[in-house]
Amino acid sequence: MNIKNNLGMYAEEIVNRTRNFLMNKNEIYFEKREVPIKIIKKTNDNTIVGKLLAKSYVDYFGYNKDKHFEFEVKQTQEDYFDVNLIKEHQLAYLFKLYENNIPSFLIVYFSKFNKFYLIKTSWLKQYLENKNKKKIPYDVIMQNNNELEIVYPGVLDMSCIYNI
């Protein structure tokens, strides 16, 4: 298994479990966006060759108490978060949402510390404008953002999004 190709799979699996758990309790609604791909050929049961039809937006979108929100999920093995892990068009999309008062954020998993953080786009934009650095140290993220604790096997406490 190539670790680079699967970077973020653990974080997305936890977010997907959280989604299923919360939706079953009718607490929140969010879903993962599908990537628009045209299948060109199937090489075997597990592999296809495809063409990306359009740049995708961020990973997830949903509703909370009649409020629309969107977010991207990332994972890092480092003791910092490299903003370059977010595709340029996705970062621009998050900033456009923020500018239009639509709540948006990142969920970042730091595998080195086994910790998840919710990073509001507003904070990220301000940090990038003030610091002009694309690598954000873990301790800076820890001090300025919401930790998302695992409260049930494989389920994040996402209650902080009710206040976004």
Side-chain angles (χ1 to χ4, degrees):
M1 173 190 300
N2 183 335
I3 195 83
K4 283 211 181 257
N5 290 340
N6 291 301
L7 193 61
M9 294 305 293
Y10 173 75
E12 283 199 16
E13 177 62 27
I14 296 296
V15 170
N16 290 337
R17 287 183 190 175
T18 301
R19 173 194 174 272
N20 293 340
F21 179 80
L22 294 175
M23 285 180 59
N24 284 337
K25 291 177 68 177
N26 290 322
E27 286 191 18
I28 196 168
Y29 172 82
F30 68 91
E31 63 182 68
K32 180 152 176 53
R33 277 198 171 91
E34 297 297 324
V35 178
I37 295 176
K38 177 181 180 182
I39 298 173
I40 296 172
K41 70 177 179 178
K42 184 176 177 181
T43 58
N44 62 45
D45 286 342
N46 297 320
T47 307
I48 62 166
V49 175
K51 178 182 177 185
L52 191 61
L53 296 175
K55 291 181 178 180
S56 61
Y57 297 104
V58 293
D59 290 335
Y60 295 86
F61 67 96
Y63 301 90
N64 168 34
K65 297 181 183 175
D66 298 326
K67 190 186 292 184
H68 177 83
F69 63 88
E70 301 199 26
F71 64 99
E72 178 71 16
V73 176
K74 294 296 179 191
Q75 180 170 320
T76 182
Q77 299 173 353
E78 308 299 334
D79 59 357
Y80 58 86
F81 175 66
D82 187 347
V83 177
N84 290 317
L85 291 174
I86 307 169
K87 292 181 178 109
E88 194 172 313
H89 70 275
Q90 290 175 316
L91 190 59
Y93 182 74
L94 288 169
F95 289 163
K96 183 60 80 178
L97 291 170
Y98 165 68
E99 291 164 6
N100 286 284
N101 296 315
I102 298 170
S104 62
F105 51 91
L106 301 172
I107 292 179
V108 178
Y109 175 64
F110 288 87
S111 61
K112 191 174 198 173
F113 306 104
N114 194 27
K115 300 278 186 181
F116 285 87
Y117 286 89
L118 184 145
I119 302 170
K120 291 181 185 177
T121 302
S122 56
W123 181 87
L124 179 62
K125 185 171 176 53
Q126 184 178 29
Y127 180 87
L128 293 174
E129 288 172 353
N130 292 337
K131 301 290 185 183
N132 200 24
K133 294 180 182 177
K134 293 278 190 164
K135 293 181 179 177
I136 309 171
Y138 172 80
D139 55 332
V140 171
I141 288 176
M142 180 183 70
Q143 293 167 9
N144 294 284
N145 295 280
N146 294 316
E147 180 181 347
L148 300 176
E149 294 184 35
I150 295 181
V151 292
Y152 186 79
V155 174
L156 294 170
D157 176 1
M158 291 182 59
S159 58
C160 62
I161 69 168
Y162 296 115
N163 300 318
I164 290 182

